[in-house]
Amino acid sequence: MRILVVGASGTIGRPLCAELATRHEVIAAGRSGRDVAVDVTEAESIEQMYRRVGHVDACICVAASGALDHFADLTEAALLKNMRGKLFGQINLVLIGQRYLANNGSFTLTSGIFADEAWPRVTGGAVISGGLHSFVLSAAIELPRGLRINAVSPTMVADSAEEFGELFPGMKPVAMDSLIAAYVDCVEGSGTGTIVKAYG
């Protein structure tokens, strides 16, 4: 398969690309992507990416992350800014990409644990992940040509625990190998409309 990985140079993207490349052709995309550049906050940039890449069998997004917030100071503007990349960007990868993926191709998005577990300072992240889950469920029954869509919902990644662990005391991290396996299963499997909870 030809697999487009958006966010290929990130913490998850690098090992994911390495694993997929053992069996597939991987196209690495990102703000300064190895193969193609894309800004997921801009619909036109996403359209241009797909045009440059050409035929692909799958698109995986591991790009963008939600900012931390303080509920007492949270505003509509802050929420919208937070949503621009991780929510609307991933949605646009599907809405635009459905015209470019091969028949029976797949989309795999990234949400997160905050859709299901309440933690302080992540209201924006919770809204984003919850929205992505609803989008995946709806898109799965409407996408044409046998296209599939799933989301991987990770907890904190073990590789980032040293940097972010103190922000989420008691949160159990997920091992990178287990997380990568979840993405691979979404691409190489046959499921659709599934939220894969990689909670360690």
Side-chain angles (χ1 to χ4, degrees):
M1 287 189 283
R2 294 189 81 227
I3 301 174
L4 173 65
V5 178
V6 180
S9 62
T11 301
I12 301 171
R14 290 190 302 272
L16 176 60
C17 287
E19 173 61 27
L20 291 169
T22 64
R23 297 177 300 284
H24 307 286
E25 178 185 352
V26 175
I27 301 101
R31 284 188 177 273
S32 55
R34 184 179 68 228
D35 299 315
V36 62
V38 64
D39 179 355
V40 295
T41 67
E42 299 292 338
E44 180 57 32
S45 179
I46 292 172
E47 184 95 45
Q48 290 175 0
M49 173 193 68
Y50 278 119
R51 288 175 181 167
R52 291 190 191 108
V53 166
H55 162 87
V56 290
D57 299 292
C59 173
I60 305 173
C61 184
V62 288
S65 59
L68 296 175
D69 52 50
H70 292 280
F71 192 84
D73 304 319
L74 199 55
T75 64
E76 175 186 354
L79 282 171
L80 287 171
K81 182 178 180 181
N82 208 7
M83 293 176 180
R84 190 71 181 168
K86 187 159 185 176
L87 179 62
F88 296 122
Q90 292 196 89
I91 287 173
N92 275 331
L93 282 170
V94 178
L95 296 180
I96 296 169
Q98 64 181 319
R99 303 192 298 272
Y100 292 91
L101 256 66
N103 291 345
N104 304 308
S106 71
F107 296 98
T108 304
L109 309 183
T110 300
S111 58
I113 191 174
F114 305 129
D116 301 305
E117 293 188 16
W119 289 78
R121 298 187 62 191
V122 290
T123 297
V127 171
I128 288 167
S129 292
L132 284 169
H133 289 184
S134 296
F135 177 76
V136 166
L137 296 176
S138 295
I141 65 171
E142 299 223 53
L143 281 167
R145 301 185 290 106
L147 296 176
R148 300 183 298 107
I149 183 170
N150 299 288
V152 175
S153 177
T155 182
M156 177 173 51
V157 184
D159 293 43
S160 301
E162 185 173 334
E163 183 178 358
F164 297 108
E166 65 179 21
L167 299 175
F168 306 107
M171 181 181 287
K172 184 179 179 182
V174 60
M176 184 63 79
D177 288 350
S178 296
L179 181 55
I180 296 306
Y183 285 100
V184 172
D185 287 346
C186 287
V187 175
E188 297 182 345
S190 59
T192 191
T194 301
I195 311 301
V196 181
K197 296 180 180 180
Y199 290 176

